[in-house]
Amino acid sequence: MNLTKSDLVFLALAIVGGGFCWWQGGLPLVGAGFAEAGWLLMIVLPQLAAGLLMGGLISRLVGREKVAALLGAQSGMRGLILASAAGAITPGGPFTSFPIVHALWVAGADAGALIAYLTAWALIGLNRLIVWELPLMGAEFTLIRTLACLPLPIVAGLIARALVRLPIFTMRKAPAE
Amino acid sequence: MIVAALIIWTIVAALAVMVFRKQGRPGLVAAGEMGFQQGRALAIRLPLAILAASFLMQVLPVDALVPYIGPQSGVSGILIASVMGGLLPGGPMTSFPIALVILQGGAGLPQIVALITGWSVFALHRVLAYEAPIMGWRFAALRLVASLLLPLASGLLAQGMLALLP
């Protein structure tokens, strides 16, 4: 297997992080880091498989023209609202949502819609709200927090659409299939 | 956890049936191949990314800052909580318990709202482990910059709502 440049970046980050652990807590802390990583991988692999499959299946179901029309750069507020609603109902952890976002990117969605989708998934995702927030934090807190966050995915999408015109944020096209 | 997995795989199965009805076996094979290609690109990167994020989780201190985010701490408390949230490690199974402990430890509600927003949109650990490997650094940077003001906005909105409550 070939190492790409981006693989090397992550290798360097892992070494730096491991060095920090060693410096702060010696071998036990490095071991704790390894244990945490192993545990995370176990949890994450089935989710990742599901996300990759969903991404592949969705790209077969919705054609490029349709995604571009619904979620592309010209989709306006409707595109951002649609993307936010889709993000809020996407279940699962980041390993499910990011492959879906990647598939939508390849299919012609623009950065603003993708960011609205991800922000909605992260902030007002129904799945997380029901499974974690409601039981742990209680109904009043959950209600206030959700209402306070409701407009934010669209705000983030609008800001992203403005920023993406700046040269440093110009997106390359998503890698083709 | 198990319920979530069931929901996810039910959706995968439903999508697969829809693809099969529309395009038959070739459609399913093509969808699987696309997923596999993407997965193969992540095979080295992801374990390394997860390892790096797990190491960082071990060394970042968050609980020392609780005294600065009390109910009277206002906008500065909201800002500190936003940054704390971004550094908060782990998924919802660790961060909501931490948020609960901090709330009961004397933090204000708008500050905790900002903290959860900061954790939700910045989550450095998630950017490192999931977003950058899949979407690339430039997309991650664009999303982070576009989200810069969201924790502050959510904290202020929550404060406004609290003021309206009896």
Side-chain angles (χ1 to χ4, degrees):
Chain A
M1 284 212 236
N2 296 327
L3 282 176
T4 65
K5 213 166 90 186
S6 134
D7 293 336
L8 292 177
V9 171
F10 286 102
L11 181 63
L13 283 169
I15 292 171
V16 171
F20 256 112
C21 279
W22 183 277
W23 179 54
Q24 294 242 312
L27 203 54
L29 207 58
V30 177
F34 268 109
E36 174 86 40
W39 175 239
L40 261 179
L41 257 185
M42 298 250 295
I43 295 177
V44 136
L45 281 180
Q47 285 194 36
L48 175 63
L52 290 172
L53 284 175
M54 267 194 229
L57 290 166
I58 289 173
S59 73
R60 304 301 304 178
L61 285 174
V62 282
R64 189 178 291 265
E65 301 77 30
K66 204 164 177 192
V67 173
L70 287 174
L71 300 173
Q74 307 306 319
S75 61
M77 274 303 265
R78 253 188 59 199
L80 294 183
I81 292 170
L82 187 69
S84 304
I89 60 169
T90 299
F95 263 119
T96 317
S97 63
F98 280 114
I100 294 174
V101 166
H102 188 266
L104 290 175
W105 194 13
V106 172
D110 84 312
L114 297 177
I115 284 170
Y117 177 100
L118 280 172
T119 308
W121 166 80
L123 270 183
I124 51 173
L126 284 177
N127 184 59
R128 192 192 76 185
L129 197 135
I130 293 166
V131 177
W132 296 104
E133 187 169 10
L134 211 50
L136 276 172
M137 307 295 289
E140 190 197 342
F141 180 90
T142 304
L143 184 69
I144 291 182
R145 196 197 64 78
T146 305
L147 286 178
C149 290
L150 211 52
L152 301 185
I154 292 168
V155 172
L158 287 173
I159 296 175
R161 277 185 177 168
L163 285 175
V164 88
R165 299 205 190 106
L166 302 176
I168 53 162
F169 285 124
T170 306
M171 291 288 129
R172 65 183 163 81
K173 286 270 178 272
E177 283 172 68
Chain B
M1 206 69 201
I2 291 169
V3 176
L6 276 178
I7 295 174
I8 292 169
W9 284 99
T10 309
I11 293 175
V12 172
L15 287 172
V17 169
M18 283 159 77
V19 169
F20 184 75
R21 280 183 144 180
K22 238 173 106 174
Q23 300 165 349
R25 263 179 69 106
L28 284 183
V29 171
E33 264 171 9
M34 184 185 160
F36 182 74
Q37 288 299 333
Q38 209 193 332
R40 217 175 52 170
L42 297 173
I44 304 175
R45 220 177 294 172
L46 265 178
L48 286 174
I50 287 182
L51 189 61
S54 303
F55 280 141
L56 290 179
M57 276 190 211
Q58 309 296 324
V59 288
L60 292 173
V62 278
D63 42 357
L65 284 166
V66 176
Y68 300 101
I69 55 170
Q72 307 306 323
S73 60
V75 175
S76 70
I78 289 176
L79 284 174
I80 294 172
S82 310
V83 176
M84 276 174 74
L87 300 176
L88 212 59
M93 67 285 276
T94 55
S95 65
F96 276 115
I98 293 174
L100 186 63
V101 169
I102 298 176
L103 184 62
Q104 284 172 345
L109 192 144
Q111 284 75 19
I112 294 295
V113 167
L115 181 133
I116 292 179
T117 306
W119 165 72
S120 303
V121 298
F122 298 148
L124 292 181
H125 148 261
R126 194 169 62 213
V127 172
L128 183 59
Y130 314 115
E131 186 168 21
I134 295 176
M135 305 295 288
W137 292 103
R138 193 182 286 245
F139 179 89
L142 173 69
R143 195 186 59 75
L144 289 175
V145 174
S147 304
L148 219 49
L149 292 174
L150 301 189
L152 178 65
S154 69
L156 291 176
L157 281 170
Q159 197 158 37
M161 283 178 207
L162 266 189
L164 293 177
L165 287 176

